[in-house]
Amino acid sequence: MRKYRRQALQNVVQSRGIMNATAVSHPNIAFIKYWGNRNSALRIPMNGSISMNLDSLTTRTTVSFQPSLPFDELIINGHEIMGAGLKRVSEILDLIRAKANINARAEAVTENNFPSGAGIASSASAFAALALAGSKAAGLELNERELSRLARRRSGSASRSVPAGFVEWQAGESDDDSFAFSIAPPNHWDLVDLVAIVSTAHKKTGSTEGHAIAPTSPLQAARVEDAPRRLDLCRQAILNKDFNAFASIVELDSDMMHAVMMTSTPALQYWKPASLAVMEAVRMWRADGLPACYTMDAGANTHVLTLESEAQGIEKKLRGIDGVENILIARPGGAAKI
């Protein structure tokens, strides 16, 4: 019966000229960070980056092209969004409309099961899902590389949420060669990301603004120059499943990015006292022999990476740190999918 109802609804949709599709994607945590653009309009980054998709954290987006709509509409977690947020979505939809040779406006309805705008890469999963759902609804059949490039146009890290598992985004020099690809599938390594939530507040300064001021830091040039070395070390650590080598380079890269943030003009300071407490605890645990390391994106929440065998014990330790409100648990996730 459910099958027939679904088919009947689809017939109604088609009869009204509505084209729709739903996609699900995951945010990612960057091990080697993206911070600063060579070309802001195209989101061509200053350096390549490496990340892991987070399986239990999801964005679900439905895009419906409707001839009757006078303008694009955006609804996030039940709330209509206007202004800059809608503009970014419309810019991706405009790219899709141009490729598909259609003019219809669209409604985009999206839901996250994790905090948005809090340093957990909600824009990455949002634009990966939007690129896939929007292109499918418009009748396009884009391959993974094309989807990664499309998602990148309004959120650089979204390019990494398109492929599966452990992902590398090559910086490239143009729109055509700046895209992400998998370097290992989700089941390659039993890493677990324990996201210590110390704040669910929407950050005052978003990543887009932060990328723009990155060149004002006297440390940014050195960070970018050293990026190829860090990329090689991180890639090899993942492929060899060498946790100690992985931990050293991931923490170094995170600290370097935040050093750039704190020495930019104006200075950006995302850390909270609880963020520092988690980082200090993780260093002590590793010194005592536990496989654990930290990394932070542009936000106060701290990602603690460990192995499956130690995840339960480290989760318990994290919950005992003052200021940690909750723990989100994620393992390597798959690709964006319809």
Side-chain angles (χ1 to χ4, degrees), residues 223-242:
R223 189 193 75 86
V224 171
E225 183 180 2
D226 185 59
R229 181 188 70 89
R230 299 195 308 279
L231 283 164
D232 287 341
L233 290 172
C234 185
R235 189 187 308 111
Q236 288 305 311
I238 291 170
L239 295 177
N240 295 331
K241 295 185 273 192
D242 183 339

Side-chain angles (χ1 to χ4, degrees), residues 202-262:
H202 202 287
K203 55 194 179 188
K204 294 180 180 179
T205 304
S207 297
T208 298
E209 294 83 359
H211 290 302
I213 64 173
T216 67
S217 167
L219 306 181
Q220 173 72 341
R223 189 193 75 86
V224 171
E225 183 180 2
D226 185 59
R229 181 188 70 89
R230 299 195 308 279
L231 283 164
D232 287 341
L233 290 172
C234 185
R235 189 187 308 111
Q236 288 305 311
I238 291 170
L239 295 177
N240 295 331
K241 295 185 273 192
D242 183 339
F243 192 88
N244 288 334
F246 174 77
S248 295
I249 200 62
V250 166
E251 288 188 359
L252 172 64
D253 193 86
S254 179
D255 291 348
M256 289 178 76
M257 182 182 73
H258 282 271
V260 168
M261 293 173 175
M262 288 185 275

Side-chain angles (χ1 to χ4, degrees), residues 83-294:
L86 175 61
K87 182 175 183 291
R88 287 177 73 186
V89 166
S90 289
E91 286 168 346
I92 290 290
L93 294 173
D94 284 342
L95 293 173
I96 292 170
R97 280 186 278 257
K99 285 179 179 290
N101 194 28
I102 61 174
N103 296 314
R105 301 294 102 182
E107 178 189 64
V109 180
T110 186
E111 294 181 349
N112 296 325
N113 70 349
F114 61 96
S116 301
I120 316 180
S122 57
S123 65
S125 54
F127 282 94
L130 178 68
L132 180 53
S135 60
K136 279 285 187 181
L140 298 173
E141 293 293 335
L142 303 185
N143 61 33
E144 183 177 273
R145 174 173 172 168
E146 292 168 328
L147 284 169
S148 179
R149 290 173 49 223
L150 177 60
R152 188 205 74 232
R153 291 291 295 271
R154 282 300 167 261
S155 171
S157 56
S159 66
R160 298 191 309 250
S161 281
V162 172
F166 299 87
V167 175
E168 180 167 353
W169 173 18
Q170 65 177 29
E173 297 181 355
S174 68
D175 178 43
D176 186 60
D177 64 0
S178 184
F179 61 93
F181 51 89
S182 294
I183 59 174
N187 63 358
H188 168 71
W189 197 10
D190 60 348
L191 283 186
V192 179
D193 185 8
L194 303 169
V195 190
I197 303 298
V198 303
S199 174
T200 57
H202 202 287
K203 55 194 179 188
K204 294 180 180 179
T205 304
S207 297
T208 298
E209 294 83 359
H211 290 302
I213 64 173
T216 67
S217 167
L219 306 181
Q220 173 72 341
R223 189 193 75 86
V224 171
E225 183 180 2
D226 185 59
R229 181 188 70 89
R230 299 195 308 279
L231 283 164
D232 287 341
L233 290 172
C234 185
R235 189 187 308 111
Q236 288 305 311
I238 291 170
L239 295 177
N240 295 331
K241 295 185 273 192
D242 183 339
F243 192 88
N244 288 334
F246 174 77
S248 295
I249 200 62
V250 166
E251 288 188 359
L252 172 64
D253 193 86
S254 179
D255 291 348
M256 289 178 76
M257 182 182 73
H258 282 271
V260 168
M261 293 173 175
M262 288 185 275
T263 54
S264 296
T265 304
L268 298 178
Q269 171 59 274
Y270 288 111
W271 294 350
K272 303 283 188 184
S275 312
L276 286 166
V278 170
M279 289 189 281
E280 290 172 0
V282 168
R283 289 193 197 101
M284 289 191 298
W285 298 340
R286 193 163 72 256
D288 290 338
L290 280 176
C293 68
Y294 67 80

Side-chain angles (χ1 to χ4, degrees), residues 20-102:
N20 68 351
T22 299
V24 174
S25 65
H26 304 291
N28 62 76
I29 177 60
F31 302 144
I32 303 298
K33 307 293 189 183
Y34 152 53
W35 196 249
N37 290 310
R38 183 180 302 134
N39 182 319
S40 295
L42 295 175
R43 295 294 206 281
I44 308 298
M46 294 293 293
N47 60 271
S49 55
I50 292 176
S51 64
M52 180 183 86
N53 286 352
L54 304 177
D55 71 337
S56 61
L57 310 184
T58 60
T59 295
R60 180 184 181 89
T61 298
T62 298
V63 174
S64 302
F65 287 99
Q66 304 179 27
S68 62
L69 285 178
F71 47 77
D72 292 328
E73 297 178 354
L74 173 62
I75 299 171
I76 300 179
N77 294 330
H79 300 284
E80 185 172 6
I81 306 298
M82 304 292 286
L86 175 61
K87 182 175 183 291
R88 287 177 73 186
V89 166
S90 289
E91 286 168 346
I92 290 290
L93 294 173
D94 284 342
L95 293 173
I96 292 170
R97 280 186 278 257
K99 285 179 179 290
N101 194 28
I102 61 174

